[in-house]
Every structure is written in C-alpha cells, then in structure tokens.
Amino acid sequence: MRGRSALSGPALRMGGLVLALVLLCVVGIVTTGGRFASVGNITTLLALAATTGVVSIGMTFVITAGGIDLSVGSVLGLATVWASTLSTQYLAEDYGWWVIVLTALAVGLAAGLVNGALVAYGKVPAFMATLAMLAAARGLAELIAGRQTQLVEVDPFLDTFRADVLGLPMIVWIFVVVAVAGWFLLNRTTFGRRTVAVGGNPEAARLAGIKIKRHTLYLYGLAGLTAGIGAVMALARTTAGSSTNGTLLELDVIAAVVVGGTLLAGGRGTITGTVLGVLIFSTLTNVFILNNIDSSVQAITKGVIIVGAVLLQQWFAAREKATST
Amino acid sequence: MVDVDPHGAEQQVKQPLLRMRGIVKEFPGARALDGVDLEVRPGEVHCLLGQNGAGKSTLIKILAGAHQPTAGEVLLDEKQVTIPDPVAALRLGIATIYQELDVVDGLTVAENIYLGHELARGGVTRRSEAARNTRAILKRLGHSEISPHREVGSLPAAGKQIVSLARALSRDARVVVMDEPSAVLDSEEVENLHRIVRELTADGVAVVYISHRLEEIRQLGDRITVIKDGRTVATSLAVADTPTDDLIKLMTGRAVEYAFPERPGVAEDAAPVLEVEGLALGDVFKDVSLTVRAGEIVGLAGLVGSGRSEILETIYGARRATSGTVRLGGKRLRGGVDAAVAAGMGLCPEERKSQGLLLDEPVYRNITLSSFARFAHGSWLDEKAERAAAQEQVEALELRPASVDRNARTLSGGNQQKALLARWLVHGCRVLLLDEPTRGVDVGARSEIYSLIRRLADDGAAVIVVSSEIPEVLGLADRVLVISDGRAVHDSPADDIDEHAVLDMVMEGSVP
C-alpha cells in the first residue's frame, strides 16, 4: 500500500504488540498452567475484554482525528441505567428486547452528539467538553437510578445477549463485528479518510474543502454510540444497570488505543493495534488475578506498560523521520 | 545603500576561520552530502547557494552539531574539531539562526538570549545583569528600542530574528550561520538585516548566508559556494566577478533564464468567471472589487500585512467577509470553504506545510484530498482510481521523485507545491487562488511552476496569484492589482506598469 519505510513501520509495531501478547500468554501458562490455557478462562478473558474493546474502537476514531473523549465511561453507565429503568423494562416486556438496546444506543449517541456539538460548533476544547460530560452523565445516572442497582429482568434480552454462539459468548461476537466494521470504516471509506485528514492537519483538510465541523460532530457521535453498544454488553454481562458501571473505563480505553499505536496527536490510527492493545491489558489483568497478585501491583504494571509503549512509539517515529530526511 | 567597498581585497591574506573538507553525510537509504568543501574567512559574508534538496540544510546542521558527518573534517582556525551537539557548536563560537526561528514565545527577550547559559549565582538568576547585557547587545544590533523584559511572543518575525541574532552574539559567536533569514521579512526589515550583517562582518565575524534571492546575494555577499546534489560544484567564487547566469548554470546544471511563459492575451469576449464586489473584512481590507475572466491571470502585489493573503482567503470562504459578494460563473457564493470548493474554486495556501499538506500521508492522498469522495463508490474509497489519477498528474507535472507512495514530508518545496497544484488539477478548477506559489522554491522549479500556472489559465481557469516578489507578479500575470494597506490602489494590465511604479505604490501605503 505505502512506500517501503512507511510499510515497515506499522508492520514492525504490530509485530511488537503480537510479541507482547504472546509473551503474556507464555507467562500465564508457565505460572498457572492449565488454569490460564483453559477454554473457560479464555472465554472469560474475552468476555471481559469485549466491552472495553467496543468502546475502544469508537475512541480510536476520535483520537485519530486529534480529539479525546473522557466521557465514554460515564456515558456507558448512564446508558445502562436508562436502559434498565422500570419503565424501559415494561416497554421491553410489551414490545420486545430491542427497546432496551435501542434506548442504550440512543442515550450513547445523544451524549456523543452533545460532546461533538460542543467541540465542533462551540469550539470548547475536547478535553473540557468531555470532562464536563463525564461529570454530568454520571450525575444524571445517579439521579435516575437513585443510587440503586436496577436488575434486568427482561428474559428475552438476557437470553439473546448471554447466549453462546459457536462456542463464544454473544458479546465477544459483538466485539468482533464492531472491530471488523471499524477497520473497514477507518481504512476503506471516505469517513475514515476524512478522520485521518482532520487529525493529520485540520487546516489543510478545511482548505481542501472537507467539512471538518460536521465530521467532528459525527466522530463524537460515533464514540457515544460505541459507549451505548458497550452499555448493552455490560447490561448483558452483569444483568444490572448501575450508575457506577463504566467507572474509569475511559482510562483503560485510552490506554489501549494509545498502546495500540494510534497517535495521541492525531493523524494516524490503527484498529488492529487497538484490538491488540485491549487484549494485552485484559490478558495482563487475567494473569495477575490467576496468580493472586494484588490489584495495586497490577495498576503499577499497567502504568509501566503505557509509558513503555509511548516511549517505543516515539523511538519509532524518530527513526522514521531520520529515514525519510 | 550599495556600499561599494568590498572587504575582498584585504581579505586575500587572511587565514580561513572555518574550513570543511570532503564532508559526507549518509542517512539510511540516502546520501545527502557527497563531498562538500567550504572555506570561510573572518569578516566575510559567505553565501551558500543551491537548489532545494541540494544539501544546504544538512550541511549547516552538521555545523550546528545537529547532525554528525559520516566522513570529512571540520577545521576551526586550522585545527580539527568535532561538533557532537549544539552546545559544543556554541562553545566553539558557531551560532546558527534557523529559518524556523527557535525562540520561546513565553519567555522575555533577555530570558531567551540567555537560554541555556543563564547568568546565575547559586541557582538564582541574575536578572538585572542579564538585562544590562541584553540591552548592550540589542544596542549593538541597532535595536535598542526592544526592551529586554518584553515577551518574545509579542514581537513580529523580524523582532524574533533580532533576538535569535542577539543570542548568537551573547555567545561570542565567530561564525554565524543564517538560513534564509530574509524569507520572513519585508523589504524594510531586510535592509536592516543587511546592515546588521555588514556590522557583524566589520567586527571580524564570519557570516554564512543562505538565500534563494540572487539579488540579495549580489548586494550582500563577498564569496559564494555552490552546492548541487550534495557536492560542491564551485567554491569561493567572488561575487563581484561572477555573472548571475553562471550561478544559475552551476546550481541547476543547465542554463535557466528567469523565464516567464508567454502571455497569449485574454480574448476580449472571454466570460468573467470570478466576480468580487465590494469585499471587506473588518479592519483588514476594504472595498475590494475585481473580475477575473477565463484564461486570465490576475496578480496581487503587496507587502506582507497589506491584506493580500486575507483577500484570497476571504474570496475562498476561509474567512467570513463583513460585506461584499463573490460570484463564480454568475452564481453568488455563500457558506464556507466547502461551498467554494464544490463550486470549483481551489486555493494553494501560503504555508504549504501547515496549511496545505498531510505531511505523513502518501503523495497520492495529498493530491486527492479534495476529490477522494468523488472517486469513491458511495462511501467506499477507490484507492486504485485515486492512485491512477495522482500518478497521471505526477508524470504530467514532472513531480520528483515520481512515486505517489512517498510521504509528502520527503518532498522538496517545489515538489510539494506541484503536489498542491496537482490536487486542484485532479479536482478540476474554474478558479485557482495561489498564495506565494514559489516561496522557498528553487530557481529551476520556479519556471516549471510558472508555465504550469499559465497552462492552467490557457485551459480556461481564472487564476489569482499573490506574491511578494514584484517581478514575479509582473512577469506572470495579465493584469495586476496593487494592494496597499487593505485597499486595491491600482488595477491595470501588467504591461502598463513597471516594477518601480508598483514598489512606489506598495511603499506609500505602508508608511504609518
């Protein structure tokens, strides 16, 4: 697709991520033997990765375009609460489980569009606009839920999303579908091209005739939508809506995207990298839990990995620049 | 102004201060320098001449300690030295003033000048001493009006350059390297810069001066070294004895005249394509009206800050006009840039890198940035078609290297400009707005760009060219508008006015 030096860069980066993942698995197998490599454990690992994964796909677009969305965790929480209120569940009993799904998606999308409108048309810095949404969405979720956990009792919903398909949980398949769709959207469509252009050089994109404000609105809408999808998955997995759902999720998501190789400054994004980033963090958590290692140690390790990945990224970038001079 | 007292005669006996011999610099996959020699004497202005990509920047980066040579030696006072890093360069008395001025906007003038070698006792900076010294240096540079306590961000480009120079002097530099210092300055500031350079050399400082303006080199330089394709092709030519034609021949390897393409003349009945009426933008410019017919090139001449770039950007919809109308093919344009582009307008902006290109994306995506959606089937990109269209333009425009897959960052200035022109050729433009189309473009590529612009007009496009170089406007355009202080003060066929008259009008408005 691209020139020699540009091709070897991404290939090398992907190789490094795969290597890291394989190493983690080897550590898992060596330290816990059959417990890590069992079908049950891998299924659990993937199911845990799926929610973060879906939201990370949306975040990949926002970050590729040079933005950031800090509100995805709160918006996911709000969507789980809204989609599991008694009235929503009554409606779902009457009309079908899709009412819950539609509510969650609508809440996510709406919150995302508010973010997008503030950033694109209100010219509020993305960091501040989505930080405000982070606080507001969490607050609204608490108000609606009254700080209670709302159990989901719509059986058709649970049956559909807790089912296993071809040996894997439904929510893992959702992650697979969203990731594949995200890859095509970023790499094969005009939407993806605009995203990269806006992130790479917004002024050049604008002067070339790209409607960057409208596109920015769509991007945050997309991130909100993936938070809505994530909410459906969280509802299915935990069978409950709660205002605490998705707390600090934004940190895991941003970490996975950046470790995957998407530039925080914008202009380059990789869905494959994001998926690998999500898997690396989930596997890490899993291996630590299996070894009964304190969660604080786990947090420290995460921090080290993030810093290491960013350092590597910069090393790659410097090397590429040197080759192209 | 041209003080004919060449230091040349007395310098014949002086020992060279700086000597570079057989410098080779290899980057992975490329040999940027392949045997460069340079010999600079104290007290001279030594001009370094070469096309874009000839290796000038790499050479001065080696002098500045930013790059390490693969082979070759650097001698200072006939003693071999190594320059492992920028700090070492400064310690040796070699200061470099880059094109992109490397001053810190948030610090004061004095803080900038002593950045990296702060005057301090026990960790506490000695502000008053720094201010005193700064004042002395600024006085020496003839700029005592700049306060040492002023924040550098509030200074214009010329002021920042002075700060950069002052920093070099604060280090007692014996060799000052200046990379296209006049590119960011208007003519009055250029005069001042030349005066400072002359004073520096009178004090025995050697100045290595890089410029694309041959005229400037004539005025200022003592000797010239010409670099082509990473090699020295001529060293230490005396400026006074070398005809310009010879210099161009040395740089390009062929005889290139500053030739402008022939003007076929616009047909009397050619339809007006772009009609601008009473356009205004706040205090920046007022009441600008102009008409461009199919096949016509209209040149806007004016100084930096006269409002000429803003006029282009407002026509293009990138700025919101406070009053006035823009019509394209008789239809009034409303809305922003996207509406203008959809209607068939294209702009090649002044700052190619920051406003025009996606530097880390391949050339073909830069070329199709305005048209990829048209190649797409629905939302589905057709990269094959995009690459084919880009490749066609790359060949037609002789863009080098001829690959559409290289990142735009790796192209020289002239080739980046060609890529931007290719963007609008692929898109198909009825109106093309060009802001400084040859800034930072070397002599050889210039004529190519001139004929390309003319060809676009011959194909029926209406073209507006903004340029600070008056000969360029007069040579290229059919009609010339002179912009001064936000107003069009003159509008006539290019043949009815000469450089002197334009200069007069341009200057008149700039006096406060």
Side-chain angles (χ1 to χ4, degrees), chain A residues 275-320:
Chain A
V275 171
L276 287 170
V278 170
L279 291 179
I280 285 172
F281 281 120
S282 311
T283 310
L284 184 76
T285 308
N286 183 266
V287 170
F288 274 56
I289 290 173
L290 290 181
N291 282 303
N292 290 321
I293 295 173
D294 188 50
S295 66
S296 317
V297 178
Q298 195 182 315
I300 294 169
T301 314
K302 264 193 195 173
V304 172
I305 289 182
I306 294 171
V307 170
V310 173
L311 286 176
L312 265 179
Q313 245 187 29
Q314 283 168 351
W315 182 75
F316 274 123
R319 221 182 63 123
E320 263 169 44

Side-chain angles (χ1 to χ4, degrees), chain A residues 18-91:
Chain A
V18 171
L19 190 70
L21 187 56
V22 169
L23 272 178
L24 272 174
C25 291
V26 169
V27 170
I29 292 167
V30 169
T31 54
T32 68
R35 281 197 298 147
F36 176 82
S38 70
V39 174
N41 182 55
I42 298 296
T43 311
T44 313
L45 188 163
L46 289 176
L48 280 167
T51 315
T52 316
V54 165
V55 182
S56 300
I57 300 298
M59 185 71 84
T60 304
F61 281 84
V62 171
I63 293 183
T64 302
I68 192 83
D69 187 349
L70 301 177
S71 70
V72 286
S74 295
V75 169
L76 183 142
L78 174 63
T80 65
V81 167
W82 205 316
S84 62
T85 54
L86 282 179
S87 41
T88 316
Q89 294 204 39
Y90 284 139
L91 281 172

Side-chain angles (χ1 to χ4, degrees), chain B residues 301 470 474 480-484 489-490 492-509:
Chain B
I470 295 164
L474 292 176
V480 173
L481 257 73
V482 181
I483 309 296
S484 174
V489 293
H490 178 87
S492 80
D495 293 333
D496 295 359
I497 187 169
D498 64 8
E499 189 176 348
H500 218 86
V502 175
L503 207 57
D504 270 357
M505 282 186 263
V506 155
M507 292 302 187
E508 201 172 330

